[in-house]
């Protein structure tokens, strides 16, 4: 495994481990800010808890579990996707810079929004990173290509063998028996 992956994954996961632990321990601190985003989502998705504090705690637990998986390199691609799924509502709930009237507060919230957007980009890159091993899609395409190539070689071999066999049969037919 590359040194960059060994160092980069825990660095990327650190923010989500810390933030997730805070959300699990003290969901009431962020529940009021999360309310406008959590309620419409929980109304549409029956599997999510109805109370905002429970949804915040669940999101934090996902961030902690997936953050640990990403940091340790255990199933890092699904872990990165799970964190990314929690980061979108977290960003939309916590950094609504477009609603701020104070220019300083707006600027601060915009910086945090863009920071989260860049972390989302890093998570998407991590989710796509196969760790130098070919992806299943790549393996499937190349296996299909290899099968087609082998089939062409078999056809050519059969044709190449068929021509001398035909000539030999003609010659045998002309020879006195």
């Amino acid at each position: 495994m590359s040194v960059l992956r060994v160092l980069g994954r825990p660095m990327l996961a650190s923010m989500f481990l810390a933030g997730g632990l805070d959300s699990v321990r003290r969901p009431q601190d962020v529940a009021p800010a999360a309310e406008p985003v959590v309620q419409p989502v929980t109304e549409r998705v029956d599997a999510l808890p109805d109370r905002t504090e429970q949804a915040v705690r669940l999101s934090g637990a996902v961030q902690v579990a997936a953050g640990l998986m990403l940091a340790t390199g255990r199933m890092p691609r699904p872990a990165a996707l799970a964190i990314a799924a929690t980061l979108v509502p977290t960003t939309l709930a916590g950094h609504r810079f477009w609603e701020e009237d104070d220019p300083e507060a707006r600027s601060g919230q915009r910086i945090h929004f863009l920071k989260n957007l860049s972390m989302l980009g890093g998570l998407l890159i991590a989710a796509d990173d196969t760790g130098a091993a070919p992806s299943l899609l790549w393996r499937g395409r190349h296996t299909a290509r290899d099968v087609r190539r082998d089939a062409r070689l078999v056809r050519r071999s059969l044709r190449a063998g068929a021509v001398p066999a035909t000539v030999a049969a003609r010659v045998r037919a002309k020879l006195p028996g």
Side-chain angles (χ1 to χ4, degrees):
M1 181 178 290
S2 144
V3 173
L4 294 176
R5 283 186 188 92
V6 170
L7 295 175
R9 285 179 179 158
M11 290 173 153
L12 183 58
S14 66
M15 181 69 171
F16 302 103
L17 288 168
L21 280 172
D22 285 345
S23 293
V24 169
R25 289 180 184 156
R26 293 185 309 277
Q28 66 278 5
D29 292 353
V30 294
E35 186 79 28
V37 173
V38 170
Q39 283 310 311
V41 173
T42 58
E43 288 171 3
R44 290 187 180 103
V45 181
D46 292 333
L48 293 175
D50 292 335
R51 293 185 44 225
T52 302
E53 285 185 11
Q54 291 174 333
V56 168
R57 188 171 274 142
L58 175 64
S59 176
V62 169
Q63 286 183 353
V64 169
L68 286 170
M69 291 169 61
L70 180 62
T72 59
R74 304 280 184 233
M75 296 182 13
R77 296 175 73 195
L81 283 176
I83 295 170
T86 65
L87 185 59
V88 172
T90 299
T91 302
L92 292 175
H95 305 298
R96 302 170 74 84
F97 68 90
W98 55 90
E99 292 179 352
E100 289 292 337
D101 295 327
D102 179 36
E104 256 183 65
R106 178 181 290 237
S107 176
Q109 288 299 332
R110 185 174 32 247
I111 287 170
H112 287 295
F113 182 89
L114 294 172
K115 172 198 51 111
N116 282 13
L117 192 62
S118 64
M119 287 192 309
L120 179 61
L123 288 167
L124 294 178
I125 290 169
D128 188 48
D129 179 25
T130 61
S135 69
L136 292 176
L137 180 62
W138 185 91
R139 287 184 228 174
R141 285 180 181 163
H142 281 75
T143 299
R145 187 196 69 198
D146 291 346
V147 167
R148 285 192 303 270
R149 186 189 70 227
D150 292 346
R152 278 195 307 271
L153 289 173
V154 168
R155 274 195 309 265
R156 286 180 188 159
S157 296
L158 289 174
R159 284 186 202 139
V163 170
T166 305
V167 171
R170 284 185 194 150
V171 168
R172 268 191 234 131
K174 291 182 182 178
L175 292 176

